[in-house]
Amino acid sequence: MDKFIVTAALTGAIHTPTMSPYLPITPDQLAEEARRAREAGAAVVHVHARDPKTGRPSSGSDLFGEILSKIKNKCDAVICATTGGGFGMSVEERVRVVKTYSPEMASLNAGSLNFSLHPVLEKIQDFKYDWEPQYLSMSEDFIFPNTFKTLREFSSHFSQEDTKPEFEVYDAGMLNNIAFLLNRGSIKKPIYIQFVLGILGGMQATIGNLLFLHNSAREILGTDFVWSVCAAGKNQFKMCNAALLMGGFTRVGLEDNLYLGKGKLAKSSAEQVEKIIRIAREHDLEPATPEEARSILNLKGPQAVKY
Ligand code: KMH
Ligand code: ZN
């Protein structure tokens, strides 16, 4: 049986509490959601921190440490911590989780882009918290900064901690950035790429775009990479299905998509994990365990983290 890695992105920093009552906020909720996603077949959980009282994306280091250790105590999934953080966080705030807690893996956004969610304000008027409309509205004027200086500095912190970068690639130019970092010796092969589609500011979540990005990656990186697809919004499962047929891995979770199907809110990321595994088994594909994912991704192991 071929094995594929399922990542569950539990909460993120783009959806806000009013959008779904199922969005996990507190460290205990995140640890429970990680356990459920692992039980459903996810090998990796991708996590952000949120203020436990208001659900606002947070760069609080102690908070992130509490989340990481609670997840580690509840399940053996690989933890991929975000260095993307939330709208408006400084690069120092974003990368602190790697320097402080030395996770096995963390996201490394491979370039800058407009990254907005402001149109959602046309659909929701009453918010639970004042910060929500302000946060969403500021995203109209937000550029997600990942300059070459940031890429160099982040790569250096990742290699110092032996933290595996999951390169978030939103468009083809970012593949060139990865090649640049390889040529400079800032990073080393094999590369792990998360193709991120469907974000307002990035490429649309279409099969044509995924094929284009995959072919571009092959041209630039040869075959020394493994990859996954993260599609935000309603095309999440279509794109994950395409990735399965292309030999890629899949990312689901409420960070990227709040729904299980048309008009039906997902009650947990675990429900989405179950759905993509059901689809995969129709193609005779089995989900990798966390240990298998560690070997596929050359991770240092949970004993080497600092949380
Ligand atoms: N929110 C996803 C679209 C990160 O956390 O560094 C991209 C992401 C980036 O997960
Ligand atoms: Zn994220």
Side-chain angles (χ1 to χ4, degrees):
M1 284 276 192
D2 291 330
K3 294 284 187 162
F4 73 104
I5 293 173
V6 179
T7 294
L10 301 176
T11 189
I14 45 185
H15 292 132
T16 66
T18 301
M19 297 177 191
S20 170
Y22 305 110
L23 195 65
I25 305 289
T26 68
D28 287 332
Q29 287 169 346
L30 283 163
E32 176 55 13
E33 284 307 297
R35 185 195 63 75
R36 293 175 70 185
R38 163 69 179 108
E39 200 171 290
V44 179
V45 290
H46 169 78
V47 289
H48 291 238
R50 288 180 185 262
D51 179 321
K53 292 190 183 62
T54 66
R56 185 181 182 120
S58 166
S59 60
S61 185
D62 294 348
L63 175 61
F64 221 138
E66 183 186 354
I67 292 166
L68 293 171
S69 49
K70 284 192 168 175
I71 292 175
K72 185 181 175 189
N73 294 336
K74 263 207 154 175
C75 74
D76 62 347
V78 174
I79 302 177
C80 174
T82 180
T83 66
F87 296 140
M89 286 184 196
S90 71
V91 289
E92 293 73 25
E93 286 173 317
R94 290 169 39 195
V95 79
R96 197 164 45 199
V97 63
V98 171
K99 295 164 70 175
T100 309
Y101 298 110
S102 194
E104 288 189 84
M105 188 156 65
S107 61
L108 207 171
N109 291 272
S112 304
L113 73 157
N114 291 346
F115 192 135
S116 297
L117 214 71
H118 62 282
V120 79
L121 289 168
E122 292 151 22
K123 295 189 196 116
I124 306 176
Q125 275 71 40
D126 305 318
F127 285 91
K128 277 173 76 175
Y129 301 99
D130 291 346
W131 71 264
E132 291 181 72
Q134 293 156 12
Y135 185 78
L136 295 166
S137 160
M138 69 78 87
S139 75
E140 185 181 19
D141 196 28
F142 178 66
I143 299 172
F144 185 25
N146 297 287
T147 64
F148 283 106
K149 179 171 180 286
T150 301
L151 296 178
R152 172 173 55 78
E153 290 172 350
F154 277 34
S155 301
S156 159
H157 292 309
F158 277 64
S159 49
Q160 273 163 20
E161 297 302 332
D162 193 16
T163 293
K164 175 87 174 181
E166 176 189 284
F167 287 102
E168 314 295 321
V169 169
Y170 301 73
D171 73 27
M174 297 186 186
L175 292 167
N176 212 15
N177 299 348
I178 292 172
F180 175 78
L181 295 170
L182 278 167
N183 294 336
R184 307 285 282 193
S186 303
I187 58 172
K188 56 185 191 309
K189 289 184 176 182
I191 298 290
Y192 178 36
I193 296 173
Q194 186 74 250
F195 291 121
V196 182
L197 299 171
I199 291 294
L200 183 57
M203 293 176 80
Q204 288 191 347
T206 65
I207 292 178
N209 281 340
L210 183 59
L211 279 167
F212 165 66
L213 288 172
H214 181 251
N215 289 336
S216 297
R218 294 284 295 265
E219 275 170 29
I220 293 176
L221 300 171
T223 53
D224 279 337
F225 70 98
V226 290
W227 62 278
S228 173
V229 70
C230 156
K234 64 181 187 315
N235 292 315
Q236 180 183 58
F237 287 101
K238 279 195 195 87
M239 300 311 296
C240 284
N241 196 9
L244 291 171
L245 300 176
M246 292 166 61
F249 305 148
T250 62
R251 167 165 143 168
V252 294
L254 301 192
E255 169 164 349
D256 307 315
N257 174 27
L258 293 171
Y259 292 84
L260 190 59
K262 199 169 169 49
K264 188 172 183 309
L265 281 175
K267 292 189 173 56
S268 72
S269 295
E271 284 187 342
Q272 295 177 342
V273 172
E274 285 161 0
K275 179 170 176 178
I276 196 58
I277 290 174
R278 258 197 321 273
I279 294 170
R281 284 184 168 139
E282 292 303 321
H283 305 308
D284 287 331
L285 292 168
E286 275 302 308
T289 64
E291 275 321 297
E292 288 166 334
R294 289 185 169 97
S295 126
I296 292 167
L297 297 172
N298 314 96
L299 303 186
K300 64 183 177 181
Q303 75 295 335
V305 302
K306 296 175 186 166
Y307 56 85

